[in-house]
Amino acid sequence: MRANHAISILVASPSMSGEAELKLSNWVVEAARAKALDGRGLTDGAARAKRRAGILEDVCKKAGIQVSDDFAEGHARWMDDVAGPPGETGAMAAIFLQRLAMYVDAHSEATMDAEQLAEMKAIGEPDLMEAANQLAVAGMPAPLPPEWPEAQETKAQGNLITRFALIGDPHVGAPRADDILARVLNHLPETESDFAVLTGDLTQNGADHLFAQARTIIDWSQFPTFVTLGNHDMWGGGGAPSASGLETFRKTFNREPLIDDSTYGVRMIVINSATPEASPFPPFDLLGGGFKQEPHESVPGGRFEEEVARWVDALEGSDERTIVVLHHPPYPYLGFPPLIFGLDEESTETLARMVDRVKPFAVFCGHTHRSALTELNGVPVLEVPCVKEWPFGFGVVEVTDSGWSYNLKQIPDPPTESGGPGEAIFRRYARGPEKARAFSASF
C-alpha cells in the first residue's frame, strides 16, 4: 500500500459478508473523520462528517451490524498521525482528510441506495470545495527530508541467543526492488544477523518468472532466509487473482509457506495469510480521489485458508522463546482502509488462540508499508515497512536470555529522490511512531 498511489481493497470475509464488512469500514472512516476534524477545531467539518457517519450508521443498523466507537477512536488516531499537527502540514492535511470522505463515497455506491448516497455527497460538498481552495492557495507541502527518521536505538539486556533480520515486502519485479533486496541480503552479515525472514509480497504480481528471480537473489546471497506469501504473490501475473501464486511458491521453494523452526535457538512460526480473492472495486487513488483504470496487482486482505487454520490450530506450546511472523496484521486493522486491509476477524481469532497457546514474545507483520505497534492478547505486534520504499528500512531483532529488542535499520545507500506530490502524505504514513521503530521488552 502507498497512500499516494492506487489503493485497492478486499471485501471478503468468511465471518462477515463482504458487503457488511465494507459498510462497517465506511462508517469507521467517517466517524473517525468527525473525531479528527473536531480535534483540530474544525467544528463545521466535524459536524458534517458526523452527519455522514449517522447515515452510514443507519445503513449498518439496518443490516444488523454493530458499530464500535473504539474502532473510530483508533482510526482517528491514525488520521491525526498522518495529517500532522494543525498548521504544520498545510493543505496536505485538509486534502488528505477530505479524500478519505471521497473514498467513502466511492465505496458506498455498493452498500446504500441512491438517495442516501446523494445526501452524503451533498453534505460533504463544502469539504471538497475547501480542500480545492487550500490546494490552489498553498499547494502540497514538500515531503519529509530523505534522512532517516531518527529513533533512539534500544538494546535487550542479557546474553545474546540470536540476532535476525525482518525484511518487509520486497516486491521483486517492481522498480529498483530487485537491487534493494540483493543489497540488503548482502549487507546482513555486517549486522551480525544469523538469518532473515521475508514477511511476504516477495514479488510484485506473483508471476512465475518473478518467483524464480526472487529465488535467484536469495540463493546468490547465500544468507539463510525464510520466506512466506503475501497478497501480491497471489496475483499470478495475470489479469485476475488465482491460486497459482501458492503453486508457484511450492515449486520454487520446494516447501509450503508455513514454518515451525527452532534452528537458531528461537522458535519461529511463519504463517501464510495470503488468499486468492479479488476486490470487486478497481484500485482507488487517494490523492486524486477516485478509482483508477488500471487493474490490480494485489489481493489486499488476508485470511487463513482451511488447511492453514488447521495447521495453526495444531501448533502446541513449548518452553522455547517464540516469534510469529505473517503478512497481514490482525483484526481490527485501524490503518487504511480500516478492518478490510488486514487479516479477517475469523482468522484473527484463530491466531489469538494460537498466541495464547504458544505464548510468543512478539508477532511481526508486513503488508502495510509502515512502522506500527499494536498488540494481540497482550503480545506486541510490530509492522515492518516495505524495504523498497522510504524510509528503506528493515528490522533487526536481538533475542537474549533476558529479553529482546527490535530496531529499524536503513539499507546501505538508500535512494534520495523526493517523490511526487503525494509523497508528503506517504512519508508521514510510513514512518510511524518512534516506539514502532525501536522497541524492547524483558521476558
Side-chain angles (χ1 to χ4, degrees):
M1 170 191 170
R2 287 198 64 165
N4 62 324
H5 284 185
I7 296 175
S8 54
I9 65 166
L10 175 71
V11 190
S13 170
S15 57
M16 185 187 296
S17 74
E19 185 174 309
E21 194 172 39
L22 181 59
K23 286 175 180 176
L24 180 56
S25 180
N26 285 339
W27 174 83
V28 169
V29 175
E30 207 57 44
R33 284 185 67 246
K35 293 177 182 295
L37 290 165
D38 187 58
R40 290 164 182 272
L42 302 173
T43 53
D44 290 344
R48 288 190 290 268
K50 191 171 183 179
R51 286 174 60 198
R52 285 165 52 89
I55 296 171
L56 291 161
E57 184 173 356
D58 287 342
V59 169
C60 286
K61 285 181 177 177
K62 287 178 183 176
I65 303 164
Q66 184 174 356
V67 300
S68 167
D69 197 57
D70 287 345
F71 288 178
E73 287 281 0
H75 194 47
R77 287 193 294 272
W78 171 81
M79 287 183 185
D80 279 333
D81 186 59
V82 176
E88 181 180 301
T89 52
M92 188 206 79
I95 293 163
F96 171 67
L97 292 170
Q98 192 280 323
R99 292 302 191 261
L100 292 172
M102 295 178 75
Y103 169 91
V104 170
D105 291 344
H107 290 87
S108 291
E109 292 184 10
T111 63
M112 62 173 56
D113 61 44
E115 186 175 337
Q116 288 175 310
L117 183 60
E119 182 182 1
M120 279 235 306
K121 289 183 175 180
I123 293 169
E125 186 67 25
D127 299 306
L128 177 62
M129 297 301 296
E130 175 61 21
N133 289 339
Q134 288 208 28
L135 182 61
V137 172
M140 290 291 284
L144 295 172
E147 286 78 19
W148 183 246
E150 290 185 18
Q152 183 66 45
E153 185 167 335
T154 185
K155 201 90 169 153
Q157 299 298 311
N159 300 310
L160 183 67
I161 294 174
T162 189
R163 182 184 294 110
F164 62 91
L166 291 158
I167 302 174
D169 299 43
H171 287 275
V172 166
R176 74 184 172 208
D178 300 31
D179 173 64
I180 286 178
L181 177 58
R183 269 198 281 157
V184 72
L185 287 172
N186 193 46
H187 173 67
L188 290 184
E190 296 181 34
T191 70
E192 299 183 333
S193 295
D194 295 322
F195 65 94
V197 185
L198 275 57
T199 63
D201 278 358
L202 181 62
T203 68
Q204 177 64 12
N205 61 22
D208 288 11
H209 74 281
L210 296 183
F211 272 105
Q213 215 163 296
R215 178 64 190 266
T216 298
I217 294 169
I218 291 169
D219 288 349
W220 168 84
S221 75
Q222 299 185 332
F223 195 80
T225 302
F226 299 89
V227 180
T228 191
L229 285 163
N231 52 297
H232 276 258
D233 299 318
M234 300 304 290
W235 197 246
S242 70
S244 65
L246 176 57
E247 295 161 4
T248 306
F249 182 95
R250 287 166 171 161
K251 286 190 301 182
T252 305
F253 293 97
N254 302 312
R255 63 168 182 81
E256 295 294 317
L258 301 166
I259 302 168
D260 185 359
D261 184 274
S262 301
T263 304
Y264 295 94
V266 169
R267 184 183 184 189
M268 177 179 58
I269 297 171
V270 183
I271 307 169
N272 173 28
S273 58
T275 179
E277 294 180 354
S279 167
F281 298 101
F284 188 81
D285 179 1
L286 186 57
L287 187 61
F291 288 123
K292 304 282 281 187
Q293 297 301 313
E294 64 264 21
H296 289 291
E297 285 188 321
S298 168
V299 187
R303 67 178 172 87
F304 297 159
E305 300 286 359
E306 286 185 19
E307 63 180 325
V308 174
R310 288 195 297 270
W311 184 85
V312 172
D313 275 333
L315 292 167
E316 298 289 343
S318 70
D319 294 331
E320 299 170 282
R321 293 176 176 85
T322 302
I323 64 163
V324 174
V325 181
L326 71 160
H327 187 62
H328 297 85
Y331 187 95
Y333 172 69
L334 297 176
F336 183 75
L339 310 184
I340 53 181
F341 194 72
L343 193 66
D344 74 356
E345 188 173 9
E346 183 175 341
S347 299
T348 298
E349 290 170 358
T350 300
L351 180 66
R353 289 196 302 271
M354 186 270 284
V355 162
D356 285 343
R357 198 165 57 249
V358 307
K359 296 178 171 48
F361 61 79
V363 175
F364 298 101
C365 308
H367 184 52
T368 61
H369 293 207
R370 68 174 187 172
S371 291
L373 174 63
T374 54
E375 66 173 42
L376 177 66
N377 287 10
V379 175
V381 177
L382 282 153
E383 296 170 31
V384 183
C386 173
V387 71
K388 75 174 182 66
E389 295 172 354
W390 192 92
F392 306 103
F394 62 96
V396 173
V397 179
E398 287 190 0
V399 185
T400 72
D401 55 8
S402 299
W404 65 280
S405 64
Y406 167 89
N407 288 283
L408 195 67
K409 306 284 188 178
Q410 195 167 40
I411 67 170
D413 303 316
T416 58
E417 74 273 15
S418 61
E423 189 72 8
I425 295 175
F426 173 70
R427 290 190 180 185
R428 289 200 62 87
Y429 164 85
R431 68 178 182 177
E434 183 173 336
K435 64 183 179 180
R437 290 178 268 120
F439 182 87
S440 63
S442 299
F443 291 133

